[in-house]
Amino acid sequence: MSGTPLNKIPEERIFALVERLEVRGPRYTSYPTVPSWKDDRPVESYGSALAELASRKRPIAIYVHLPFCRRRCLYCGCNSYVTSDANRMNGYADSLLREIERVAEHLPSSVKHYQLHLGGGTPTHYSPELLQRILERVIAVFPGETRAEHSIEVDPRITASEHLRVLQAQGFQRISVGLQDLSPAVQRAVQREYSPNQLQNFIELSRQYGFTSINIDLIYGLPKQTHDSWKQTLNAIAKLRPDRIACFGYAHLPERLKHQAAIRSEDLPSPNERLGMMLDAQRLFADAGYVSIGMDHFALPDDDLAMAQRAGRVWRNFMGYTTSHGMELLGLGCSAISEFESLFVQNAVSPERYAELLSGGSWAIQRGHQLNYDDRVRKHIINHLMCNLDIRIPPDVEELDNELAESLNAAMDSLRGYVDEGLLIEYDSGYTVTPLGQLFVRNLAMPFDRYLEQQHGVYFSQTV
């Protein structure tokens, strides 16, 4: 990536650009984005996709969703349910194991995983014994490749040594710590209280149990956050030297997420304060030696993700940024999404509906989308932009689909104005995104989205 470093650009210029260019738009964790999918439960397509996956015999990624939490964090936008009801949690585990066995009937043991990720909810809200039972079955049914990557999202407040021992035994190396902010006032406002000493102790304990990659999640734009308190958090995290940092903007959507109504709008930072917080993170982590990945991640220079970006092979799926370009993803559990070469499917969102479908002998699928050639080309362009900060049209498109080529060339032409703004640098066959343009990657992706104009009723978050 070339262009003027972000810390050399006057804030006034950045603020003026954001005020003029910011709109609401998709985050592009997938393309086509989920709101454009249908609700017709493509059961037959899913079976065919599994058969094709088996025939390819390539390593896959696996995502397992464990949706339960001890307590609701008010900022949360995940599919999660607050409960400590052992019967409900055990019943869900039984349904999950039923889905695993059913999928295994369609995939030979020669299909192995290269990545395994547990998310939620809070996976470590389960007892160590039940977590071990789930993991042992997943890994037995879908064996891991040599040096397979195993990762998990945790709430450090409820993750005990016994959990870490189980994870160590199952080959987990990466742990993502959901911190969000270190300010006591902010933590109280979002109902996630955790002290700096507890965080440092947890990181040290995780290292002792063999975790070689520690990720810390942060959120800017939370209630009660100030410029000074946020910089204190950033400095404290930089001193801890986690291997990766995710720094997301809070999406305040109380119309869709009812628990967010408990957050008062007047307690939220202003748009300019929020933008200043994002810029503070970009600058401070760059000064601390971190490499900026995509639009919201940072990694140490020797981390696999930073090395993958230098080689232009970072990819993005529903588990986040990954070093494995184009790897197919098998999602297990309620609301989990599978991403095959030509098909997206999502399981039923509620644990009860998920269990009901599986008990009836069906797949747990709620909706999906079959990708045609147009979808696959646009998906590649958008993903390559979001991950590797480069925009180009695949060379064979014009030969295979003249109408698509015309549409994509028009989208490329529409980006030329961003060259003058300093967001892009044009070269012979495309554009390189500058450090300034990296703030606007969602804007840059939107001209390639042919479904966007059809999504009038969808309430997207701000692009910056």
Side-chain angles (χ1 to χ4, degrees):
M1 181 171 60
S2 56
T4 305
L6 207 57
N7 60 3
K8 302 294 185 183
I9 301 174
E11 274 200 0
E12 296 78 15
R13 184 184 168 207
I14 298 174
F15 277 50
L17 268 176
V18 170
E19 187 173 339
R20 191 155 48 81
L21 299 180
E22 185 175 54
V23 294
R24 291 189 178 273
R27 290 183 180 270
Y28 292 112
T29 49
S30 73
Y31 181 82
T33 57
V34 175
S36 64
W37 298 2
K38 299 177 178 61
D39 294 323
D40 56 0
R41 296 208 304 127
V43 174
E44 292 182 7
S45 299
Y46 182 64
S48 299
L50 288 178
E52 292 169 8
L53 190 66
S55 69
R56 285 189 282 271
K57 297 182 181 178
R58 294 199 298 253
I60 63 172
I62 297 175
Y63 172 77
V64 180
H65 191 72
L66 300 176
F68 301 114
C69 293
R70 181 187 65 176
R71 189 184 184 194
R72 173 75 67 192
C73 300
L74 295 182
Y75 58 81
C76 183
C78 300
N79 180 45
S80 59
Y81 301 84
V82 176
T83 187
S84 292
D85 183 339
N87 289 331
R88 188 182 187 195
M89 295 175 70
N90 291 340
Y92 175 80
D94 290 340
S95 297
L96 176 61
L97 292 168
R98 185 177 293 120
E99 183 187 21
I100 291 168
E101 300 298 342
R102 190 162 297 162
V103 172
E105 293 172 3
H106 294 257
L107 292 179
S109 58
S110 57
V111 176
K112 297 182 178 181
H113 74 264
Y114 183 73
Q115 293 176 335
L116 170 63
H117 182 75
L118 268 63
T122 307
T124 49
H125 186 36
Y126 271 103
S127 69
E129 294 77 19
L130 191 50
L131 187 63
Q132 179 175 338
R133 178 186 167 209
I134 293 169
L135 287 174
E136 284 180 345
R137 196 60 198 142
V138 170
I139 294 171
V141 170
F142 310 111
E145 286 276 334
T146 304
R147 298 182 64 194
E149 299 175 4
H150 292 177
S151 57
I152 185 170
E153 302 164 14
V154 303
D155 180 345
R157 299 172 300 176
I158 64 170
T159 305
S161 298
E162 292 77 10
H163 288 109
L164 297 178
R165 190 175 295 114
V166 166
L167 294 168
Q168 178 191 44
Q170 300 301 326
F172 278 70
Q173 317 98 331
R174 180 170 295 121
I175 192 164
S176 292
V177 181
L179 172 66
Q180 321 318 348
D181 193 288
L182 280 171
S183 162
V186 176
Q187 291 184 353
R188 285 193 297 271
V190 298
Q191 297 185 2
R192 193 179 182 92
E193 298 180 54
Y194 200 68
S195 75
N197 285 340
Q198 288 175 302
L199 175 63
Q200 183 164 359
N201 291 340
F202 181 79
I203 290 174
E204 290 173 357
L205 183 63
S206 298
R207 297 285 192 199
Q208 291 172 21
Y209 277 94
F211 283 89
T212 55
S213 181
I214 307 292
N215 306 358
I216 292 182
D217 295 342
L218 301 174
I219 296 179
Y220 60 89
L222 292 173
K224 302 292 186 180
Q225 267 180 344
T226 67
H227 175 264
D228 289 341
S229 71
W230 176 242
K231 289 198 77 169
Q232 289 173 17
T233 291
L234 297 178
N235 280 305
I237 297 306
K239 287 179 183 176
L240 290 173
R241 302 299 286 173
D243 302 272
R244 296 181 188 177
I245 302 166
C247 191
F248 304 110
Y250 168 59
H252 190 55
L253 302 170
E255 305 86 355
R256 185 163 61 87
L257 302 168
K258 300 304 181 185
H259 58 273
Q260 288 189 354
I263 292 177
R264 302 190 309 166
S265 296
E266 56 266 34
D267 287 339
L268 296 173
S270 70
N272 275 2
E273 289 171 331
R274 176 188 168 102
L275 176 58
M277 292 175 186
M278 181 186 68
L279 295 176
D280 285 338
Q282 293 276 352
R283 291 166 176 160
L284 191 145
F285 291 136
D287 289 344
Y290 283 86
V291 176
S292 180
I293 307 290
M295 61 180 178
D296 47 29
H297 279 59
F298 305 88
L300 292 175
D302 59 352
D303 184 89
D304 289 347
L305 199 58
M307 291 189 286
Q309 178 167 280
R310 289 195 290 273
R313 56 181 176 82
V314 173
W315 198 243
R316 183 175 169 88
N317 59 26
F318 288 97
M319 299 192 302
Y321 287 102
T322 173
T323 59
S324 300
H325 184 283
M327 184 178 293
E328 293 177 270
L329 169 65
L330 176 64
L332 301 167
C334 70
S335 78
I337 292 174
S338 295
E339 179 179 353
F340 303 115
E341 280 192 356
S342 299
L343 180 71
F344 287 116
V345 293
Q346 182 177 27
N347 282 346
V349 172
S350 84
E352 288 71 26
R353 179 58 177 157
Y354 168 78
E356 180 184 2
L357 288 169
L358 289 166
S359 295
S362 175
W363 297 113
I365 295 167
Q366 173 176 301
R367 59 180 171 177
H369 181 89
Q370 191 83 45
L371 283 76
N372 57 26
Y373 177 71
D374 185 292
D375 292 334
R376 293 195 299 274
V377 171
R378 293 175 187 270
K379 173 185 174 181
H380 173 82
I381 292 170
I382 290 173
N383 225 335
H384 189 60
L385 159 63
M386 302 289 284
C387 297
N388 299 301
L389 306 175
D390 181 73
I391 311 172
R392 69 182 80 169
I393 300 174
D396 60 346
V397 172
E398 196 146 350
E399 299 174 13
L400 298 174
D401 192 325
N402 285 334
E403 185 177 342
L404 173 59
E406 288 179 9
S407 174
L408 295 178
N409 282 321
M412 292 289 279
D413 289 342
S414 75
L415 297 179
R416 283 212 167 84
Y418 293 124
V419 175
D420 295 334
E421 302 281 11
L423 276 59
L424 297 172
I425 296 172
E426 190 169 10
Y427 62 91
D428 288 345
S429 57
Y431 301 98
T432 297
V433 181
T434 66
L436 178 60
Q438 196 170 352
L439 303 179
F440 297 90
V441 288
R442 291 164 67 184
N443 298 63
L444 300 175
M446 288 166 67
F448 299 97
D449 185 347
R450 74 181 180 96
Y451 296 99
L452 194 56
E453 291 184 0
Q454 306 168 19
Q455 299 176 41
H456 303 295
V458 180
Y459 191 74
F460 294 113
S461 62
Q462 296 285 353
T463 53
V464 182

